Amino acid sequence: MTSFLQNIVNALQWGSFYALIALGYSMVYGVLMLFNFAHGDIFMVGAYIGFFVSTGLVALSALGALTLPSWLILTLTIIVAMFLTSFVGMLVERIGYRPLRGAPRASAAITGLMIGIILETGNLALLGAQRVSFPALIESVTYNIGGVFVTNKKVLIVVVSLLLMFALHQFVQRTKWGMAMRAMAVDFVVVPLMGVPLNTIAALTFALGSGLAAAAGILFGVAYPVLDPYMGILFGWKAFVAAILGGRGSILGAALAGFLLGFIEIFVAAIFPSTLRDLIAYSIILLILTFRPHGFFGEAYSAKLRL
Amino acid sequence: MKSFKIFALLMIAVFLLGACGPAAPETIKIGINAPITGDIPKVGEGSKYAAEMWLADIEAAGGLEVGGKTYNVELVIEDNESKAESATKVNTKMITQDEVLVIVGPQSSKQAVPAGEVANNYSTPMVSPWSTNPNTTLDRPWVFRGCFLDPFQGPVVANFVSDEFGFTKAAVLYDVASDYPKGLAENFKAAWEELHGEGSVVAYESFTTKDTDFSAQLTSIANSGAEFFFAPQYYNEVALIVQQAHELGWDAPIVGSDSWGSAETVELCGEDCYGLFFSTHYAAAGATGATKEFIDRYEAEHGYVPDDVGALTWDTLHLVQQAIVDCGEITGDIAVDRQCVRDALASITDFNGITGDMTFTEEGDPIKCAVIVRISDAGEYEFYKSACP
């Protein structure tokens, strides 16, 4: 029983990353009908930017130039890195996708793969192949609650992820920009004719998705403090699975599917031989998609728009 | 357009001709197949630095003297990206294009096992300094290694834990997709069950390369009643495994293998790794004689204490050097010279290296001792015990 509860705690943390990254996929896919395969690498870029910002702030604190408590450093790191990574996302959209907006879908998808490779190898060329160690911003404290071990990091990761998802939901549902995004998701040919600036909305979508990926990257650095240039690839693929499983453009769907993926992976590893984890986990997901091809919250009309 | 195509073809032709130029007979080429990028770049860096130090010594002596004639030595250092397929490509290129006399590397078994196949097929001597998986040299007369084997290392760890702590229940966490951890996990399990009976390995958990979350496996291990667990993993995973285990309330020992010995393990892992034990090839802290000379020189040049890969690469290059010198003559016919170096390597006895004495067996494996190292509270690798065959 305690191991069951312990695995729920583990799965909540692991699922948070999938959910945050899946949101970025889901939004871009929803609004622009575009597979942004570079998204996993934007997550990696976000983690590295977070690494530089936090290392810089820690160094400044150590020099005595400014005295910041570590929780403030973490908050600042998340905000600054989200902001900077948004620009990376917008840049990717401007350079990689906008020139190809009229091109066949496949060309745009392949562009994403290429941008991903450029980001990975660019990082490799700039920083070399050494792993970097994310600074320990918060002292790890472990609480033993009836045999279940919960760390302050785990709580922080889950809480911050949920807060960000809630904020995104409010933005999309309550603001004019959010309304424009939702309208675009229904028909991105007609809506621009009504005066909604397609390029602005596209850039905004990329900025939001990349910001969330950066937050995921920093939280990842807090939980798993070893960063490498290829860390985003597998994460990107799996989060993409979550985005599709959640349903096109559905924020709630992507978030739920992200957590579901985390739960399936953790519990398969806990119950079956861990060697078979991904084999069993992704067979289950294939089965779900067979019965719900549009995902949990996807709408049937999306297929008609496919070019 | 047509003229462009002709130009492009000409360029390709020139390039190919250039690449196929005959090698100067005054030069001996030695290939280094190392993971400069990829999962374990620190291993590649250590190999490269040790090789360059060796070359500097040769150059300072004016070259390598073989049978009364002095030859220049050239190192062909190629990156295998820590991938099996790249390691075989690198070997093929170095053997067929660069025409190296002998290859040193690849380091980890994941690359050394398939790359050894290539070297053996092309009848080119290859010595892996660090690969401990038996399959690297098994039934391959052209392939050698500079270190002990996992069937030896597995029992060393099992015996050490039994003697030191008196434990009877073990758990293992390993990467099932990589030759080295998988082989060593199996060897350890066999040795432990021989000591403590069937079922004494109470949890045998695995993951696949590039995984970062081990919480499910560690939860299973924690609830299995194991008194310690063995994690024969590379340095980048060690940090994550040890930290996550501690966060899940694990406070029993975690024991490692020679792959922990990288200079970067403690840097990534921090205080979580202090006080842990692992089996390895040499201990840097408290070394004496030639070993200390090497360590001091390496530290002065590169700013950190060399790990076991650096020391083993250094030893391996000296082995290769001795084999070439023993050969007595470089004919310039690469096939003849490779045969000669292979035979010389196979007959080396009592080689005195900085990681211990070596004598090669039939299989091309040296007989040498292992050491148990404790990570001190200052993060240094302290000698704790040695275990000889």
Side-chain angles (χ1 to χ4, degrees), chain A residues 94-107:
Chain A
R94 183 69 193 85
I95 296 172
Y97 292 111
R98 197 179 293 180
L100 287 162
R101 194 158 291 149
R105 290 290 104 177
S107 305

Side-chain angles (χ1 to χ4, degrees), chain A residues 222-243:
Chain A
V222 169
Y224 312 102
V226 180
L227 309 184
D228 79 278
Y230 299 107
M231 62 190 265
I233 300 176
L234 201 58
F235 244 106
W237 292 345
K238 290 182 171 180
F240 190 43
V241 171

Side-chain angles (χ1 to χ4, degrees), chain B residues 7-32:
Chain B
F7 175 72
L9 281 173
L10 272 175
M11 286 305 287
I12 292 170
V14 167
F15 181 74
L16 286 177
L17 282 175
C20 297
E26 297 83 21
T27 307
I28 295 173
K29 283 188 182 177
I30 297 177
I32 308 279

Side-chain angles (χ1 to χ4, degrees), chain B residues 189-348:
Chain B
K189 186 169 182 257
W192 189 262
E193 285 183 338
E194 195 167 303
L195 285 172
H196 302 282
E198 199 68 23
S200 54
V201 175
V202 290
Y204 195 62
E205 296 288 330
S206 63
F207 60 94
T208 51
T209 316
K210 289 200 183 296
D211 275 1
T212 48
D213 186 89
F214 311 103
S215 57
Q217 292 91 327
L218 289 167
T219 303
S220 302
I221 288 175
N223 289 311
S224 68
E227 291 164 298
F228 76 102
F229 77 84
F230 177 53
Q233 288 308 130
Y234 295 110
Y235 63 86
N236 51 327
E237 291 137 345
V238 171
L240 295 174
I241 291 172
V242 172
Q243 286 176 1
Q244 284 176 39
H246 289 163
E247 285 173 6
L248 287 165
W250 178 270
D251 50 13
I254 302 167
V255 180
S257 56
D258 67 301
S259 54
W260 281 37
S262 167
E264 216 159 88
T265 308
V266 170
E267 212 171 290
L268 290 173
C269 187
E271 286 180 22
D272 279 280
C273 277
Y274 292 179
L276 300 182
F277 293 96
F278 62 92
S279 63
T280 188
H281 307 275
Y282 96 130
T288 54
T291 315
K292 188 170 172 5
E293 265 172 45
F294 168 74
I295 292 169
D296 290 346
R297 192 174 141 198
Y298 189 104
E299 200 179 356
E301 280 177 35
H302 302 297
Y304 64 93
V305 175
D307 44 29
D308 54 351
V309 178
L312 288 170
T313 306
W314 174 263
D315 268 359
T316 303
L317 278 160
H318 282 89
L319 268 174
V320 166
Q321 178 184 346
Q322 190 182 326
I324 294 173
V325 172
D326 286 355
C327 206
E329 188 194 7
I330 298 294
T331 60
D333 181 345
I334 197 78
V336 174
D337 292 338
R338 281 173 178 166
Q339 179 71 49
C340 179
V341 170
R342 191 220 82 91
D343 294 344
L345 268 172
S347 55
I348 285 178

Side-chain angles (χ1 to χ4, degrees), chain A residues 43-271:
Chain A
F43 157 74
M44 177 274 292
V45 171
Y48 270 86
I49 291 179
F51 162 76
F52 284 116
V53 173
S54 57
T55 313
L57 287 172
V58 167
L60 281 179
S61 302
L63 284 175
L66 65 166
T67 41
L68 296 172
S70 53
W71 64 267
L72 191 60
I73 292 185
L74 182 65
T75 318
L76 279 176
T77 303
I78 293 180
I79 292 169
V80 174
M82 281 178 78
F83 188 71
L84 292 176
T85 313
S86 308
F87 282 98
V88 176
M90 278 152 67
L91 203 68
V92 165
E93 194 271 335
R94 183 69 193 85
I95 296 172
Y97 292 111
R98 197 179 293 180
L100 287 162
R101 194 158 291 149
R105 290 290 104 177
S107 305
I110 296 306
T111 308
L113 288 178
M114 289 185 285
I115 291 173
I117 294 171
I118 291 169
L119 289 175
E120 289 150 21
T121 43
N123 178 333
L124 203 62
L126 272 177
L127 301 174
Q130 288 326 346
R131 300 305 160 94
V132 302
S133 176
F134 201 88
L137 294 177
I138 41 176
E139 185 85 11
S140 181
V141 185
T142 308
Y143 309 101
N144 182 350
I145 307 166
V148 178
F149 292 92
V150 183
T151 57
N152 52 351
K153 287 182 191 171
K154 282 200 167 88
V155 176
L156 175 95
I157 287 163
V158 177
V159 169
V160 172
S161 306
L162 290 176
L163 277 178
L164 285 170
M165 287 172 212
F166 180 72
L168 180 72
H169 182 76
Q170 293 298 316
F171 179 83
V172 171
Q173 294 298 330
R174 297 282 164 91
T175 65
K176 224 162 81 181
W177 294 108
M179 198 185 354
M181 285 169 67
R182 281 183 291 139
M184 205 77 90
V186 177
D187 193 329
F188 71 88
V189 179
V190 173
V191 172
L193 297 177
M194 305 291 153
V196 178
L198 174 62
N199 285 340
T200 314
I201 297 298
L204 177 70
T205 312
F206 268 84
L208 280 177
S210 305
L212 289 176
I218 293 161
L219 295 176
F220 184 88
V222 169
Y224 312 102
V226 180
L227 309 184
D228 79 278
Y230 299 107
M231 62 190 265
I233 300 176
L234 201 58
F235 244 106
W237 292 345
K238 290 182 171 180
F240 190 43
V241 171
I244 297 298
L245 193 62
R248 183 175 88 99
S250 166
I251 290 176
L252 183 66
L256 281 180
F259 280 111
L260 180 72
L261 213 61
F263 273 81
I264 292 179
E265 278 196 11
I266 295 282
F267 277 93
V268 167
I271 296 165

